[in-house]
Amino acid sequence: MKVKTGLGLDSHRFIEGDTDKPFILGGVVFDDAPALSGNSDADVILHAVTDAISGVTGVTVIGAVADKMCREGITDSKAYLAVALESLGDWQLTHVSIVLECLRPKIDPKVPVLRASVAELLRLDVADVCITATTGEQLNDVGRGLGIHASVIVTAVAD
């Protein structure tokens, strides 16, 4: 059996002020934080997971592919993730570890629904999805409440 790991990172700033754009994290809409700025829905979890899968496959999705999809009106990050998942071929995801850095919103109360959403999207058991969070002690912009940063590691296996 062969094993690979992939690393993905993503960050987006909050949109301050009036906007119709929802705050989406891990494919779930929440109403306790401002939306994140970006051409797409700016879902930092799904962008980082997509990049981590690219680290396994070598097929980059976040960047030119996602930008083209945005120009075509496809702004749901679940669609970018689907493209990355298609590139896995014989590789099968077995685990994902997600670390969020943000001052707001509070992540711990959201962890169960986030784990369930990510598990469903990746076709994993909830037990194979780990999500932790830190405030970053106000050492950078996300730690001061200006946005969210996600770091993700995926593990994949193939025979």
Side-chain angles (χ1 to χ4, degrees):
M1 174 176 25
K2 298 187 296 185
V3 177
K4 285 187 177 183
T5 57
L7 173 65
L9 307 172
D10 194 50
S11 301
H12 285 275
R13 287 186 178 272
F14 288 116
I15 299 172
E16 301 299 346
D18 292 336
T19 181
D20 291 334
K21 189 175 185 179
F23 171 62
I24 301 175
L25 194 60
V28 180
V29 176
F30 294 100
D31 61 6
D32 61 343
L36 293 166
S37 178
N39 296 332
S40 68
D41 59 15
D43 187 329
V44 294
I45 289 178
L46 296 190
H47 289 187
V49 170
T50 300
D51 270 346
I53 293 169
S54 293
V56 169
T57 66
V59 178
T60 303
V61 176
I62 299 296
V65 172
D67 287 348
K68 180 178 184 280
M69 292 172 75
C70 274
R71 287 191 300 275
E72 294 169 353
I74 302 167
T75 60
D76 186 338
S77 295
K78 290 182 258 184
Y80 314 145
L81 178 59
V83 172
L85 289 169
E86 289 172 8
S87 69
L88 278 169
D90 292 335
W91 290 96
Q92 180 180 354
L93 297 180
T94 60
H95 183 262
V96 61
S97 182
I98 301 164
V99 179
L100 297 173
E101 183 179 357
C102 58
L103 185 62
R104 60 182 173 146
K106 294 296 181 196
I107 299 301
D108 283 348
K110 295 173 175 35
V111 168
V113 71
L114 289 171
R115 287 179 71 203
S117 176
V118 171
E120 181 180 343
L121 291 167
L122 299 181
R123 298 180 292 276
L124 292 172
D125 291 335
V126 172
D128 296 323
V129 177
C130 177
I131 299 176
T132 60
T134 180
T135 64
E137 302 299 328
Q138 299 184 3
L139 293 175
N140 58 28
D141 283 350
V142 294
R144 289 186 283 277
L146 300 180
I148 300 179
H149 175 82
S151 300
V152 172
I153 294 177
V154 297
T155 305
V157 298
D159 290 328

